[in-house]
Amino acid sequence: MHAFRAAVEAGDADAIEALLAEDVVFTSPAVFKPYTGKAITAAILRGVVRVFEDFRYVREINDTGGRDHALVFTARVGDKQVTGCDFLSVNEDGLIDDFMVMVRPLSGLQALAEAMGAQFDRILADAETGSA
């Protein structure tokens, strides 16, 4: 997951998007129903890059087969410090086909959900146009 981690840490939205499978399933910590597809997942991740401050990965866990990965991170949303984990699975082409995020504490998740909700119209527009 070095390429994904490097792209996220560099804030390179195009490189992040290039690592997503067309049929990627993104599971948000804040909504019940997963999002399916590269365009909406990339748009959500661009939104997250805008919302998170002081983001950094602090730990990486990989399975021995190389398909499943967990990237533990810390970040700030406004005045709330959060800890989270990106759970990623890759397909046979090495592209991310499953992306689930967990975030704690609850107050940080609530701040994240509010910040993302405030820009969700922009996220949907970005998904339709494929732009940042």
Side-chain angles (χ1 to χ4, degrees):
M1 266 305 76
H2 178 71
F4 177 79
R5 181 176 180 169
V8 170
E9 290 175 338
D12 187 341
D14 292 335
I16 294 168
E17 185 171 356
L19 294 168
L20 301 174
E22 289 297 328
D23 62 348
V24 62
V25 175
F26 179 82
T27 305
S28 164
V31 297
F32 177 75
K33 184 180 174 188
Y35 295 94
T36 301
K38 184 175 185 171
I40 188 66
T41 300
I44 290 168
L45 294 176
R46 286 191 297 270
V48 170
V49 167
R50 291 189 296 267
V51 167
F52 276 152
E53 299 174 60
D54 303 325
F55 181 93
R56 66 184 180 98
Y57 284 118
V58 295
R59 186 172 181 202
E60 186 171 339
I61 305 163
N62 300 298
D63 77 353
T64 55
R67 178 167 161 74
D68 298 308
H69 311 274
L71 300 170
V72 180
F73 64 84
T74 62
R76 193 169 41 81
V77 180
D79 65 348
K80 302 292 184 189
Q81 186 68 35
V82 299
T83 301
C85 190
D86 293 336
F87 295 97
L88 310 171
S89 290
V90 296
N91 63 20
E92 58 279 351
D93 296 323
L95 298 175
I96 299 166
D97 63 359
D98 189 66
F99 193 131
M100 180 174 59
V101 181
M102 300 289 206
V103 173
R104 65 162 309 279
L106 179 58
S107 61
L109 173 58
Q110 290 168 329
L112 175 60
E114 183 178 318
M116 291 297 289
Q119 62 172 310
F120 211 73
D121 287 342
R122 178 179 177 183
I123 289 169
L124 291 175
D126 286 353
E128 288 179 14
T129 64
S131 64

